[in-house]
Amino acid sequence: MVVERDARDSARFERTVLPHLDAGYTLALYLTHDAFDAEDAVQEAVLRALRYFHTLRDDRDARGWFLAIVRRESYDARGGGRAAAQMVPYDEGVHGEVADRKPSPEDAAQSSDVAGRVRAAIATLPDRLRETLILREIQQCSYEEIAMITDAPIGTVMSRLSRARARLAEQLAGAMDVRELP
């Protein structure tokens, strides 16, 4: 009977939490600024999620619940630090998605340059603004999900998102020509 329940719980965990690993890694990478720390944070988050899976009340909340755990683990991982020689910076060309068609060398260089500027601008945002922007614009989380993940009121989420967008636009306005955007 216990084995049967454990098998059901494991299957439910795999079905509800594991599909969000990529979203967790993306969030962790933006919060830690380090691929190794992001991997560690997601691994720790999976272990913590598995340990406390019984506290998840509604499977529809699994994404936000898991991203909240990833967020906490990311801040812990970032605080732990690593030797500078062990750090490997995130490189969109190595870690990014593979496109179906190859762009021309000029397009690839321009796109990489634009993406690099955007990533650099995002990296300069304060933690609370950066995490809110990533959760909304990259992870496509609702305001309610972001509020739950960050443990902040929805009004605060909206304010942070507005400030993050304004700062990002301000930083990119001087650094980029609008014609450069894809």
Side-chain angles (χ1 to χ4, degrees), residues 22-23 26-27 30 63 118-119 122 130-141:
D22 287 342
T26 300
L27 177 61
Y30 274 99
R63 179 176 183 228
V118 171
R119 275 194 313 277
I122 290 171
R130 184 174 59 249
E131 73 185 9
T132 303
L133 183 74
I134 297 306
L135 288 168
R136 179 68 181 163
E137 301 302 339
I138 294 178
Q139 300 300 340
Q140 304 290 305
C141 291

Side-chain angles (χ1 to χ4, degrees), residues 141-155:
C141 291
S142 68
Y143 293 129
E144 292 82 10
E145 287 177 308
I146 297 169
M148 191 265 303
I149 292 167
T150 62
D151 195 28
I154 290 178

Side-chain angles (χ1 to χ4, degrees), residues 17-27 42-43 45-46 66-67 70:
V17 175
L18 294 186
H20 307 296
L21 287 178
D22 287 342
Y25 179 75
T26 300
L27 177 61
V42 172
Q43 184 174 13
V46 168
F66 180 64
L67 290 177
V70 169

